[in-house]
Structures are given as C-alpha cells and as structure tokens.
Amino acid sequence: MTGRKIAVVGLGGIGGVAAACLSLSPDNDVTVCARRRIDTLTFDHHEESKRIPLKTLTEPSRAEPVDWVILCTKAQDVASAASWLERLCTPKTTVAVLQNGIAHEERVAPHAKGATVVPAIVYYNGERFAPDHVRLRHIRGHDLLVPAGAQAEAFAALFEGTPIDVGISAEFITYQWRKLLVNVIANPITALTRQRLGVFQREDIQQLSLGILDEAVAVGRAEGAQLAGNEAEMILETFLAYPPEAGTSMYFDCLAGRPLEIEALNGAVVAAGLRHGLATPLNTAMLTLLKTVSDANAKTP
Ligand SMILES: NC(=O)c1ccc[n+]([C@@H]2O[C@H](COP(=O)([O-])OP(=O)(O)OC[C@H]3O[C@@H](n4cnc5c(N)ncnc54)[C@H](OP(=O)(O)O)[C@@H]3O)[C@@H](O)[C@H]2O)c1
C-alpha cells in the first residue's frame, strides 16, 4: 500500500467512524492507535453494516511518522496521547483535531513536533456500541467543518468517496462558537442533573441556560465570532427541538464515573472571558462543580 499514511488516534465513537470511513478509500493507508487491539470494526451507516479490517497499534513505540494524524480522543486525554503524537509527527505531518471546544491548536501543538494543527468541528454523531462496533448518524449538512486554509482541501480529499461530508469555511470561528454554545448548556446541565435533554423543557432550566449562553455569547463576540443579537434565544430554541430522550457525552461520562470534558467547554468560555475582562459567573459555577466531579472520577480506579 502506498497511499496517504494516516493514523487515527483514539477509537471511540468519533475515531471509530473516522477510521472506518477513511479505510473505505483505496488512497488511504490507515493505522489505528488505540489502547486495545481491534482487528475488525463493524461500521453501521443507514441500513447497512460493514465489517472493516483494521491495522491497530497499541504501543506508541511501534508507531512511525505519518502524513496525517486524525486525533479523536476527548480534549482532556490529549496529554495522555502525547506519546503517540511524538512518534507519529514530523514538521511535514498535519494533525486534524476532531474534538469539541476551541483552542485545539494550543492544546495539541506542544506535543506535535512542529506538525501543522488543523481544528475540525464534528457535526456527526458517532456512537460506540462496543469497542469494535460503531454507528455513523448524520446530524446536519456537513459532518466535519475545517477552516479555509492551506490544508483544508487536502483534509477534505481524505474523505472523498466516503460517507463523511467535509465542509470548509472562512467563518470557522463563528461556527466553532455556535457549536460551543450548544455544548456549554447541553453537557453540564445534563451531567449535573443526571437527566437527558428532556430536562430543558423546564422553565427554570431554560432561564439558567439563557444566563450561561448570554455570558458565552459576549465572550464569543469578543473572540471575533459573528453572533446574532438573539443568538442565545436561537440556540435554546434549536435545542428544544432535539429528542428529549437523547443524552450528551458528559451525561454518559458522568454516569460511568469517567473524567469530564468540562475544561474544553465551559472552561474555554471562562478562560477567554478572563482574557477579555468579561465576567462569566455562571460558566465558572458549571466549571467548578464539574471539575470537582471530574477530579473525583479521575481518582477512582
Ligand atoms: N460522539 C459524538 O457523537 C461526538 C459528536 C461531536 C463531538 N464529539 C467530540 O469528539 C471528541 C471524541 O469524542 P468521542 O465521543 O469519540 O469520545 P470517546 O467515545 O470517549 O472516545 C475517545 C477515545 O479516545 C481513546 N483514548 C483516550 N486516551 C487515549 C490514549 N492515550 N491513547 C489512545 N487512545 C486514547 C479512548 O480509549 P478507551 O476506549 O480505551 O477509553 C476512547 O476510545 C470529543 O471531543 C467529543 O466531545 C463527539
């Protein structure tokens, strides 16, 4: 195989779907970097189910430099994936970061040995039923969105002929903040209340959500996102149309006693607020409470 050398780091819902789809293109030579060996991945999409052979590495010391790294761990696991990045990256490598939040480059570049870091907004739903079984669900127009720039077309080309649709945008920062706005209410409120999205039907939760969103919208605007005057209300309205029985990843991580992605979500709003001298008391409250839960989860074996 002499195709583009691609390493997918992290074989969860997002990484599993990315690895399966990338493996469908004959131009890609895909290796999965995971904590356990998986030889075949079952990939469900629409009514079809395919069995996809995988080349898996479980030891970073066996990894070699690649053209592309598709980093699909949760944001809080980037440091633990550093040993993979150190082996896989050279200055010629591009690392596409498929994670929620903002500040992907600051998070990943220190571990990436001079590689180019490209943030990607993930719009698809990747559900992992078992370590070797994932499902792709399309949620909206594009499945992934990357900023316009030198590596954008090349990244989109990796997924050509696969079920993943990649968009490219010059207004990436605005889309990144819109996605973050959904995440700064959906994740902490479902995790803290231990209730699925139906909890947003409550009027008091809607008021709290609008308060969290108003702070985040002000910070997003200061960061350069073009957000509408009624952005907070629009986000909440869109949100109320989601299925009430749906959970969020922080809700499931909380129930399972795993560390939480809170620093990359409400923590990012608080940090950017500090940079711009904007107060974010409600986001700070979400961050403090869920950091406490996350730290306790991290200490429990
Ligand atoms: N799932 C979705 O539908 C969705 C949608 C939009 C955005 N996102 C975002 O996409 C990102 C990935 O989410 P996800 O749902 O795929 O998370 P996930 O299911 O928790 O998967 C993360 C994977 O990373 C692996 N991992 C962690 N540390 C590692 C390390 N040091 N070396 C190798 N593998 C490591 C984990 O391995 P183990 O299995 O061994 O723990 C796990 O398989 C997150 O930022 C999330 O917020 C997800």
Side-chain angles (χ1 to χ4, degrees):
M1 176 89 200
T2 54
R4 299 170 286 221
K5 285 191 184 305
I6 304 174
V8 177
V9 178
L11 198 68
I14 294 306
V17 166
C21 290
L22 288 165
S23 299
L24 295 173
S25 164
D27 297 327
N28 295 334
D29 175 4
V30 180
T31 301
V32 166
C33 301
R35 294 198 275 216
R36 76 189 91 187
R37 187 175 154 171
I38 307 280
D39 294 323
T40 310
L41 185 67
T42 302
F43 172 56
D44 296 348
H45 178 229
H46 296 319
E47 301 310 310
E48 257 193 284
S49 190
K50 286 194 167 100
R51 304 260 296 152
I52 308 223
L54 289 185
K55 209 165 37 170
T56 318
L57 292 178
T58 54
E59 277 301 323
S61 59
R62 303 198 57 193
E64 288 184 358
V66 292
D67 303 312
W68 288 87
V69 174
I70 313 295
L71 180 60
C72 303
T73 65
K74 292 244 169 73
Q76 70 272 16
D77 290 323
V78 168
S80 83
S83 48
W84 285 112
L85 294 173
E86 278 157 19
R87 297 287 302 187
L88 295 165
C89 293
T90 73
K92 289 187 183 159
T93 306
T94 303
V95 183
V97 185
L98 276 58
Q99 286 176 347
N100 273 335
I102 55 173
H104 298 69
E105 195 168 358
E106 287 100 285
R107 203 156 52 230
V108 175
H111 308 292
K113 294 184 74 181
T116 303
V117 177
V118 175
I121 303 175
V122 181
Y123 289 119
Y124 66 84
N125 172 258
E127 183 169 0
R128 177 168 59 160
F129 301 114
D132 62 350
H133 187 183
V134 293
R135 167 175 282 279
L136 163 63
R137 287 190 188 85
H138 305 280
I139 303 296
R140 46 164 281 165
H142 297 302
D143 298 304
L144 292 171
L145 190 75
V146 290
Q151 299 301 319
E153 302 284 347
F155 177 72
L158 302 181
F159 288 94
E160 251 164 44
T162 83
I164 296 271
D165 177 86
V166 180
I168 297 172
S169 174
E171 279 101 47
F172 184 77
I173 187 165
T174 298
Y175 289 106
Q176 205 175 22
W177 272 88
R178 289 217 168 103
K179 181 84 201 288
L180 183 63
L181 291 175
V182 171
N183 280 323
V184 295
I185 55 170
N187 282 287
I189 289 177
T190 54
L192 283 170
T193 61
R194 298 192 162 221
Q195 293 184 46
R196 294 176 184 238
L197 294 186
V199 73
F200 286 90
Q201 302 300 331
R202 290 177 61 105
E203 215 170 292
D204 49 2
I205 291 289
Q206 291 175 18
Q207 287 310 314
L208 174 62
S209 301
L210 284 174
I212 296 170
L213 286 170
D214 282 339
E215 291 175 11
V217 166
V219 175
R221 283 206 192 102
E223 288 275 288
Q226 302 294 309
L227 301 171
N230 63 343
E231 192 77 40
E233 290 76 9
M234 284 194 314
I235 295 276
L236 187 60
E237 203 171 304
T238 321
F239 200 72
L240 291 173
Y242 291 172
E245 69 281 8
T248 65
S249 68
M250 200 177 289
Y251 165 82
F252 292 116
D253 283 344
C254 208
L255 291 188
R258 290 191 285 257
L260 309 176
E261 211 171 24
I262 191 68
E263 288 279 7
L265 304 182
N266 301 76
V269 173
V270 173
L274 281 173
R275 283 199 297 276
H276 296 284
L278 292 167
T280 55
L282 292 174
N283 281 277
T284 303
M286 296 294 125
L287 174 64
T288 306
L289 292 170
L290 284 161
K291 223 161 62 169
T292 306
V293 174
S294 185
D295 288 351
N297 289 353
K299 280 191 196 130
T300 312

mmCIF file of all heavy atoms in Angstrom, residues 146-188:
data_model
loop_
_atom_site.group_PDB
_atom_site.id
_atom_site.type_symbol
_atom_site.label_atom_id
_atom_site.label_comp_id
_atom_site.label_asym_id
_atom_site.label_seq_id
_atom_site.Cartn_x
_atom_site.Cartn_y
_atom_site.Cartn_z
ATOM 1 N N VAL A 146 -13.829 22.386 8.570
ATOM 2 C CA VAL A 146 -12.470 22.862 8.864
ATOM 3 C C VAL A 146 -12.331 24.290 8.349
ATOM 4 O O VAL A 146 -13.059 24.713 7.443
ATOM 5 C CB VAL A 146 -11.378 21.947 8.229
ATOM 6 C CG1 VAL A 146 -11.318 20.605 8.939
ATOM 7 C CG2 VAL A 146 -11.585 21.776 6.738
ATOM 8 N N PRO A 147 -11.375 25.058 8.923
ATOM 9 C CA PRO A 147 -11.198 26.432 8.451
ATOM 10 C C PRO A 147 -10.558 26.468 7.063
ATOM 11 O O PRO A 147 -9.716 25.621 6.750
ATOM 12 C CB PRO A 147 -10.253 27.051 9.492
ATOM 13 C CG PRO A 147 -9.635 25.916 10.223
ATOM 14 C CD PRO A 147 -10.483 24.701 10.036
ATOM 15 N N ALA A 148 -10.960 27.452 6.253
ATOM 16 C CA ALA A 148 -10.320 27.647 4.947
ATOM 17 C C ALA A 148 -8.836 27.884 5.202
ATOM 18 O O ALA A 148 -8.472 28.553 6.171
ATOM 19 C CB ALA A 148 -10.945 28.853 4.255
ATOM 20 N N GLY A 149 -8.004 27.325 4.359
ATOM 21 C CA GLY A 149 -6.551 27.499 4.563
ATOM 22 C C GLY A 149 -5.810 26.415 3.829
ATOM 23 O O GLY A 149 -6.427 25.567 3.165
ATOM 24 N N ALA A 150 -4.499 26.434 4.001
ATOM 25 C CA ALA A 150 -3.625 25.584 3.201
ATOM 26 C C ALA A 150 -4.006 24.100 3.229
ATOM 27 O O ALA A 150 -3.987 23.441 2.202
ATOM 28 C CB ALA A 150 -2.190 25.765 3.681
ATOM 29 N N GLN A 151 -4.364 23.558 4.394
ATOM 30 C CA GLN A 151 -4.581 22.113 4.496
ATOM 31 C C GLN A 151 -6.047 21.703 4.301
ATOM 32 O O GLN A 151 -6.365 20.510 4.337
ATOM 33 C CB GLN A 151 -4.114 21.610 5.863
ATOM 34 C CG GLN A 151 -2.641 21.843 6.141
ATOM 35 C CD GLN A 151 -1.778 21.162 5.097
ATOM 36 O OE1 GLN A 151 -2.047 20.041 4.686
ATOM 37 N NE2 GLN A 151 -0.762 21.852 4.633
ATOM 38 N N ALA A 152 -6.947 22.670 4.107
ATOM 39 C CA ALA A 152 -8.373 22.350 4.114
ATOM 40 C C ALA A 152 -8.771 21.390 2.982
ATOM 41 O O ALA A 152 -9.442 20.376 3.212
ATOM 42 C CB ALA A 152 -9.188 23.639 4.046
ATOM 43 N N GLU A 153 -8.328 21.713 1.755
ATOM 44 C CA GLU A 153 -8.709 20.875 0.610
ATOM 45 C C GLU A 153 -8.118 19.474 0.741
ATOM 46 O O GLU A 153 -8.764 18.473 0.431
ATOM 47 C CB GLU A 153 -8.207 21.498 -0.709
ATOM 48 C CG GLU A 153 -8.711 22.903 -0.978
ATOM 49 C CD GLU A 153 -10.162 22.927 -1.441
ATOM 50 O OE1 GLU A 153 -10.684 21.850 -1.784
ATOM 51 O OE2 GLU A 153 -10.762 24.025 -1.432
ATOM 52 N N ALA A 154 -6.871 19.428 1.213
ATOM 53 C CA ALA A 154 -6.203 18.125 1.363
ATOM 54 C C ALA A 154 -6.919 17.287 2.418
ATOM 55 O O ALA A 154 -7.065 16.067 2.258
ATOM 56 C CB ALA A 154 -4.741 18.328 1.746
ATOM 57 N N PHE A 155 -7.408 17.939 3.484
ATOM 58 C CA PHE A 155 -8.149 17.195 4.510
ATOM 59 C C PHE A 155 -9.455 16.660 3.923
ATOM 60 O O PHE A 155 -9.797 15.477 4.114
ATOM 61 C CB PHE A 155 -8.438 18.095 5.718
ATOM 62 C CG PHE A 155 -9.256 17.410 6.785
ATOM 63 C CD1 PHE A 155 -8.692 16.426 7.581
ATOM 64 C CD2 PHE A 155 -10.598 17.723 6.960
ATOM 65 C CE1 PHE A 155 -9.455 15.769 8.559
ATOM 66 C CE2 PHE A 155 -11.363 17.077 7.926
ATOM 67 C CZ PHE A 155 -10.787 16.102 8.731
ATOM 68 N N ALA A 156 -10.168 17.519 3.184
ATOM 69 C CA ALA A 156 -11.438 17.079 2.578
ATOM 70 C C ALA A 156 -11.184 15.895 1.635
ATOM 71 O O ALA A 156 -11.997 14.957 1.573
ATOM 72 C CB ALA A 156 -12.095 18.244 1.850
ATOM 73 N N ALA A 157 -10.049 15.919 0.928
ATOM 74 C CA ALA A 157 -9.741 14.850 -0.043
ATOM 75 C C ALA A 157 -9.593 13.492 0.636
ATOM 76 O O ALA A 157 -9.884 12.448 0.035
ATOM 77 C CB ALA A 157 -8.469 15.199 -0.815
ATOM 78 N N LEU A 158 -9.170 13.488 1.912
ATOM 79 C CA LEU A 158 -9.015 12.202 2.617
ATOM 80 C C LEU A 158 -10.340 11.447 2.686
ATOM 81 O O LEU A 158 -10.374 10.227 2.738
ATOM 82 C CB LEU A 158 -8.519 12.418 4.060
ATOM 83 C CG LEU A 158 -7.203 13.154 4.295
ATOM 84 C CD1 LEU A 158 -6.908 13.231 5.792
ATOM 85 C CD2 LEU A 158 -6.069 12.446 3.577
ATOM 86 N N PHE A 159 -11.453 12.208 2.744
ATOM 87 C CA PHE A 159 -12.774 11.583 2.936
ATOM 88 C C PHE A 159 -13.571 11.469 1.632
ATOM 89 O O PHE A 159 -14.733 11.071 1.662
ATOM 90 C CB PHE A 159 -13.577 12.395 3.970
ATOM 91 C CG PHE A 159 -13.066 12.225 5.380
ATOM 92 C CD1 PHE A 159 -12.148 13.119 5.910
ATOM 93 C CD2 PHE A 159 -13.471 11.158 6.167
ATOM 94 C CE1 PHE A 159 -11.662 12.966 7.199
ATOM 95 C CE2 PHE A 159 -12.992 10.994 7.462
ATOM 96 C CZ PHE A 159 -12.086 11.898 7.984
ATOM 97 N N GLU A 160 -12.930 11.820 0.496
ATOM 98 C CA GLU A 160 -13.650 11.749 -0.780
ATOM 99 C C GLU A 160 -14.101 10.318 -1.049
ATOM 100 O O GLU A 160 -13.350 9.364 -0.837
ATOM 101 C CB GLU A 160 -12.739 12.226 -1.918
ATOM 102 C CG GLU A 160 -13.187 13.579 -2.460
ATOM 103 C CD GLU A 160 -12.096 14.222 -3.289
ATOM 104 O OE1 GLU A 160 -11.484 13.479 -4.112
ATOM 105 O OE2 GLU A 160 -11.846 15.417 -3.083
ATOM 106 N N GLY A 161 -15.355 10.162 -1.483
ATOM 107 C CA GLY A 161 -15.872 8.828 -1.790
ATOM 108 C C GLY A 161 -16.285 8.058 -0.549
ATOM 109 O O GLY A 161 -16.564 6.858 -0.624
ATOM 110 N N THR A 162 -16.299 8.703 0.612
ATOM 111 C CA THR A 162 -16.737 8.042 1.850
ATOM 112 C C THR A 162 -18.037 8.721 2.314
ATOM 113 O O THR A 162 -18.404 9.771 1.787
ATOM 114 C CB THR A 162 -15.666 8.173 2.974
ATOM 115 O OG1 THR A 162 -15.822 9.448 3.619
ATOM 116 C CG2 THR A 162 -14.249 8.046 2.444
ATOM 117 N N PRO A 163 -18.722 8.166 3.319
ATOM 118 C CA PRO A 163 -19.986 8.795 3.747
ATOM 119 C C PRO A 163 -19.808 10.116 4.498
ATOM 120 O O PRO A 163 -20.778 10.785 4.802
ATOM 121 C CB PRO A 163 -20.605 7.749 4.695
ATOM 122 C CG PRO A 163 -19.876 6.480 4.451
ATOM 123 C CD PRO A 163 -18.516 6.850 3.947
ATOM 124 N N ILE A 164 -18.556 10.496 4.827
ATOM 125 C CA ILE A 164 -18.329 11.736 5.596
ATOM 126 C C ILE A 164 -18.194 12.929 4.653
ATOM 127 O O ILE A 164 -17.340 12.929 3.761
ATOM 128 C CB ILE A 164 -17.028 11.615 6.437
ATOM 129 C CG1 ILE A 164 -17.157 10.510 7.477
ATOM 130 C CG2 ILE A 164 -16.648 12.956 7.063
ATOM 131 C CD1 ILE A 164 -17.713 10.916 8.796
ATOM 132 N N ASP A 165 -19.044 13.910 4.892
ATOM 133 C CA ASP A 165 -19.003 15.129 4.077
ATOM 134 C C ASP A 165 -18.226 16.220 4.829
ATOM 135 O O ASP A 165 -18.585 16.566 5.950
ATOM 136 C CB ASP A 165 -20.435 15.610 3.810
ATOM 137 C CG ASP A 165 -20.447 16.907 3.047
ATOM 138 O OD1 ASP A 165 -20.376 16.859 1.812
ATOM 139 O OD2 ASP A 165 -20.496 17.984 3.689
ATOM 140 N N VAL A 166 -17.152 16.716 4.207
ATOM 141 C CA VAL A 166 -16.311 17.739 4.864
ATOM 142 C C VAL A 166 -16.609 19.108 4.268
ATOM 143 O O VAL A 166 -16.532 19.298 3.054
ATOM 144 C CB VAL A 166 -14.807 17.422 4.680
ATOM 145 C CG1 VAL A 166 -13.948 18.493 5.353
ATOM 146 C CG2 VAL A 166 -14.469 16.046 5.248
ATOM 147 N N GLY A 167 -16.957 20.077 5.117
ATOM 148 C CA GLY A 167 -17.143 21.461 4.677
ATOM 149 C C GLY A 167 -15.912 22.283 5.026
ATOM 150 O O GLY A 167 -15.142 21.928 5.924
ATOM 151 N N ILE A 168 -15.744 23.388 4.285
ATOM 152 C CA ILE A 168 -14.617 24.302 4.528
ATOM 153 C C ILE A 168 -15.221 25.692 4.692
ATOM 154 O O ILE A 168 -16.073 26.085 3.901
ATOM 155 C CB ILE A 168 -13.641 24.291 3.327
ATOM 156 C CG1 ILE A 168 -13.030 22.897 3.161
ATOM 157 C CG2 ILE A 168 -12.550 25.343 3.481
ATOM 158 C CD1 ILE A 168 -12.209 22.708 1.903
ATOM 159 N N SER A 169 -14.807 26.427 5.738
ATOM 160 C CA SER A 169 -15.423 27.734 5.943
ATOM 161 C C SER A 169 -14.403 28.795 6.313
ATOM 162 O O SER A 169 -13.515 28.565 7.138
ATOM 163 C CB SER A 169 -16.477 27.648 7.053
ATOM 164 O OG SER A 169 -16.971 28.941 7.330
ATOM 165 N N ALA A 170 -14.605 29.989 5.731
ATOM 166 C CA ALA A 170 -13.785 31.147 6.101
ATOM 167 C C ALA A 170 -14.315 31.762 7.397
ATOM 168 O O ALA A 170 -13.642 32.586 8.008
ATOM 169 C CB ALA A 170 -13.802 32.167 4.977
ATOM 170 N N GLU A 171 -15.548 31.382 7.785
ATOM 171 C CA GLU A 171 -16.118 31.902 9.055
ATOM 172 C C GLU A 171 -16.069 30.833 10.143
ATOM 173 O O GLU A 171 -16.995 30.698 10.951
ATOM 174 C CB GLU A 171 -17.577 32.343 8.850
ATOM 175 C CG GLU A 171 -17.730 33.709 8.250
ATOM 176 C CD GLU A 171 -18.030 33.614 6.780
ATOM 177 O OE1 GLU A 171 -18.904 32.812 6.412
ATOM 178 O OE2 GLU A 171 -17.360 34.309 5.986
ATOM 179 N N PHE A 172 -14.991 30.076 10.144
ATOM 180 C CA PHE A 172 -14.878 28.934 11.051
ATOM 181 C C PHE A 172 -15.109 29.333 12.510
ATOM 182 O O PHE A 172 -15.815 28.648 13.248
ATOM 183 C CB PHE A 172 -13.483 28.311 10.886
ATOM 184 C CG PHE A 172 -13.282 27.069 11.690
ATOM 185 C CD1 PHE A 172 -13.834 25.865 11.284
ATOM 186 C CD2 PHE A 172 -12.537 27.090 12.863
ATOM 187 C CE1 PHE A 172 -13.643 24.706 12.023
ATOM 188 C CE2 PHE A 172 -12.349 25.944 13.608
ATOM 189 C CZ PHE A 172 -12.907 24.750 13.181
ATOM 190 N N ILE A 173 -14.551 30.460 12.925
ATOM 191 C CA ILE A 173 -14.623 30.827 14.346
ATOM 192 C C ILE A 173 -16.077 31.020 14.794
ATOM 193 O O ILE A 173 -16.451 30.658 15.913
ATOM 194 C CB ILE A 173 -13.748 32.065 14.662
ATOM 195 C CG1 ILE A 173 -13.714 32.293 16.158
ATOM 196 C CG2 ILE A 173 -14.178 33.311 13.946
ATOM 197 C CD1 ILE A 173 -12.640 33.218 16.650
ATOM 198 N N THR A 174 -16.905 31.534 13.892
ATOM 199 C CA THR A 174 -18.322 31.723 14.239
ATOM 200 C C THR A 174 -18.999 30.360 14.423
ATOM 201 O O THR A 174 -19.727 30.149 15.395
ATOM 202 C CB THR A 174 -19.029 32.530 13.125
ATOM 203 O OG1 THR A 174 -18.390 33.804 13.069
ATOM 204 C CG2 THR A 174 -20.511 32.701 13.411
ATOM 205 N N TYR A 175 -18.710 29.427 13.513
ATOM 206 C CA TYR A 175 -19.311 28.078 13.649
ATOM 207 C C TYR A 175 -18.778 27.359 14.893
ATOM 208 O O TYR A 175 -19.501 26.634 15.570
ATOM 209 C CB TYR A 175 -19.034 27.250 12.386
ATOM 210 C CG TYR A 175 -19.827 27.757 11.214
ATOM 211 C CD1 TYR A 175 -19.221 28.476 10.190
ATOM 212 C CD2 TYR A 175 -21.206 27.555 11.147
ATOM 213 C CE1 TYR A 175 -19.961 28.975 9.131
ATOM 214 C CE2 TYR A 175 -21.954 28.051 10.087
ATOM 215 C CZ TYR A 175 -21.322 28.757 9.084
ATOM 216 O OH TYR A 175 -22.059 29.250 8.051
ATOM 217 N N GLN A 176 -17.506 27.604 15.182
ATOM 218 C CA GLN A 176 -16.899 26.959 16.347
ATOM 219 C C GLN A 176 -17.602 27.450 17.631
ATOM 220 O O GLN A 176 -17.936 26.657 18.512
ATOM 221 C CB GLN A 176 -15.418 27.339 16.382
ATOM 222 C CG GLN A 176 -14.566 26.352 17.107
ATOM 223 C CD GLN A 176 -13.088 26.722 17.010
ATOM 224 O OE1 GLN A 176 -12.722 27.872 16.774
ATOM 225 N NE2 GLN A 176 -12.241 25.738 17.193
ATOM 226 N N TRP A 177 -17.872 28.751 17.682
ATOM 227 C CA TRP A 177 -18.557 29.274 18.873
ATOM 228 C C TRP A 177 -20.006 28.817 18.923
ATOM 229 O O TRP A 177 -20.538 28.525 19.992
ATOM 230 C CB TRP A 177 -18.414 30.808 18.951
ATOM 231 C CG TRP A 177 -17.151 31.133 19.681
ATOM 232 C CD1 TRP A 177 -15.907 31.273 19.149
ATOM 233 C CD2 TRP A 177 -16.982 31.271 21.099
ATOM 234 N NE1 TRP A 177 -14.978 31.495 20.138
ATOM 235 C CE2 TRP A 177 -15.615 31.509 21.343
ATOM 236 C CE3 TRP A 177 -17.845 31.227 22.192
ATOM 237 C CZ2 TRP A 177 -15.095 31.691 22.629
ATOM 238 C CZ3 TRP A 177 -17.335 31.424 23.465
ATOM 239 C CH2 TRP A 177 -15.978 31.649 23.674
ATOM 240 N N ARG A 178 -20.668 28.738 17.763
ATOM 241 C CA ARG A 178 -22.070 28.240 17.775
ATOM 242 C C ARG A 178 -22.123 26.823 18.331
ATOM 243 O O ARG A 178 -23.014 26.477 19.107
ATOM 244 C CB ARG A 178 -22.658 28.259 16.360
ATOM 245 C CG ARG A 178 -22.927 29.636 15.868
ATOM 246 C CD ARG A 178 -24.201 29.708 15.017
ATOM 247 N NE ARG A 178 -24.533 31.095 14.818
ATOM 248 C CZ ARG A 178 -24.302 31.772 13.682
ATOM 249 N NH1 ARG A 178 -23.795 31.165 12.635
ATOM 250 N NH2 ARG A 178 -24.614 33.058 13.606
ATOM 251 N N LYS A 179 -21.161 25.994 17.932
ATOM 252 C CA LYS A 179 -21.124 24.612 18.443
ATOM 253 C C LYS A 179 -20.831 24.629 19.943
ATOM 254 O O LYS A 179 -21.440 23.898 20.727
ATOM 255 C CB LYS A 179 -20.047 23.824 17.668
ATOM 256 C CG LYS A 179 -19.905 22.361 18.064
ATOM 257 C CD LYS A 179 -20.901 21.489 17.358
ATOM 258 C CE LYS A 179 -21.168 20.150 18.021
ATOM 259 N NZ LYS A 179 -20.123 19.178 17.934
ATOM 260 N N LEU A 180 -19.903 25.510 20.347
ATOM 261 C CA LEU A 180 -19.546 25.596 21.764
ATOM 262 C C LEU A 180 -20.763 26.051 22.585
ATOM 263 O O LEU A 180 -20.993 25.570 23.698
ATOM 264 C CB LEU A 180 -18.373 26.572 21.953
ATOM 265 C CG LEU A 180 -17.848 26.698 23.384
ATOM 266 C CD1 LEU A 180 -17.273 25.377 23.893
ATOM 267 C CD2 LEU A 180 -16.759 27.784 23.474
ATOM 268 N N LEU A 181 -21.563 26.958 22.011
ATOM 269 C CA LEU A 181 -22.732 27.465 22.748
ATOM 270 C C LEU A 181 -23.707 26.323 23.071
ATOM 271 O O LEU A 181 -24.258 26.255 24.173
ATOM 272 C CB LEU A 181 -23.441 28.559 21.942
ATOM 273 C CG LEU A 181 -22.656 29.874 21.792
ATOM 274 C CD1 LEU A 181 -23.399 30.839 20.877
ATOM 275 C CD2 LEU A 181 -22.375 30.525 23.139
ATOM 276 N N VAL A 182 -23.900 25.434 22.125
ATOM 277 C CA VAL A 182 -24.773 24.280 22.402
ATOM 278 C C VAL A 182 -24.151 23.435 23.512
ATOM 279 O O VAL A 182 -24.822 23.036 24.469
ATOM 280 C CB VAL A 182 -24.971 23.431 21.116
ATOM 281 C CG1 VAL A 182 -25.676 22.128 21.434
ATOM 282 C CG2 VAL A 182 -25.732 24.222 20.064
ATOM 283 N N ASN A 183 -22.836 23.237 23.410
ATOM 284 C CA ASN A 183 -22.168 22.348 24.375
ATOM 285 C C ASN A 183 -22.090 22.923 25.786
ATOM 286 O O ASN A 183 -22.053 22.165 26.745
ATOM 287 C CB ASN A 183 -20.762 22.014 23.874
ATOM 288 C CG ASN A 183 -20.805 20.932 22.820
ATOM 289 O OD1 ASN A 183 -21.612 20.013 22.905
ATOM 290 N ND2 ASN A 183 -19.963 21.034 21.813
ATOM 291 N N VAL A 184 -22.048 24.269 25.929
ATOM 292 C CA VAL A 184 -21.894 24.808 27.285
ATOM 293 C C VAL A 184 -23.188 24.753 28.093
ATOM 294 O O VAL A 184 -23.156 24.968 29.299
ATOM 295 C CB VAL A 184 -21.323 26.258 27.336
ATOM 296 C CG1 VAL A 184 -19.913 26.297 26.800
ATOM 297 C CG2 VAL A 184 -22.229 27.267 26.661
ATOM 298 N N ILE A 185 -24.309 24.485 27.404
ATOM 299 C CA ILE A 185 -25.513 24.221 28.210
ATOM 300 C C ILE A 185 -25.838 22.719 28.221
ATOM 301 O O ILE A 185 -26.104 22.148 29.270
ATOM 302 C CB ILE A 185 -26.745 25.079 27.804
ATOM 303 C CG1 ILE A 185 -27.101 24.937 26.331
ATOM 304 C CG2 ILE A 185 -26.538 26.528 28.195
ATOM 305 C CD1 ILE A 185 -28.451 25.574 25.969
ATOM 306 N N ALA A 186 -25.799 22.085 27.059
ATOM 307 C CA ALA A 186 -26.242 20.683 26.979
ATOM 308 C C ALA A 186 -25.455 19.776 27.916
ATOM 309 O O ALA A 186 -26.026 19.010 28.706
ATOM 310 C CB ALA A 186 -26.093 20.180 25.551
ATOM 311 N N ASN A 187 -24.125 19.881 27.853
ATOM 312 C CA ASN A 187 -23.301 18.930 28.610
ATOM 313 C C ASN A 187 -23.364 19.144 30.116
ATOM 314 O O ASN A 187 -23.699 18.210 30.849
ATOM 315 C CB ASN A 187 -21.860 18.964 28.081
ATOM 316 C CG ASN A 187 -21.745 18.185 26.798
ATOM 317 O OD1 ASN A 187 -21.783 16.963 26.799
ATOM 318 N ND2 ASN A 187 -21.662 18.885 25.679
ATOM 319 N N PRO A 188 -23.078 20.364 30.632
ATOM 320 C CA PRO A 188 -23.069 20.490 32.097
ATOM 321 C C PRO A 188 -24.434 20.278 32.728
ATOM 322 O O PRO A 188 -24.526 19.678 33.808
ATOM 323 C CB PRO A 188 -22.570 21.925 32.339
ATOM 324 C CG PRO A 188 -22.719 22.631 31.058
ATOM 325 C CD PRO A 188 -22.641 21.608 29.971
#
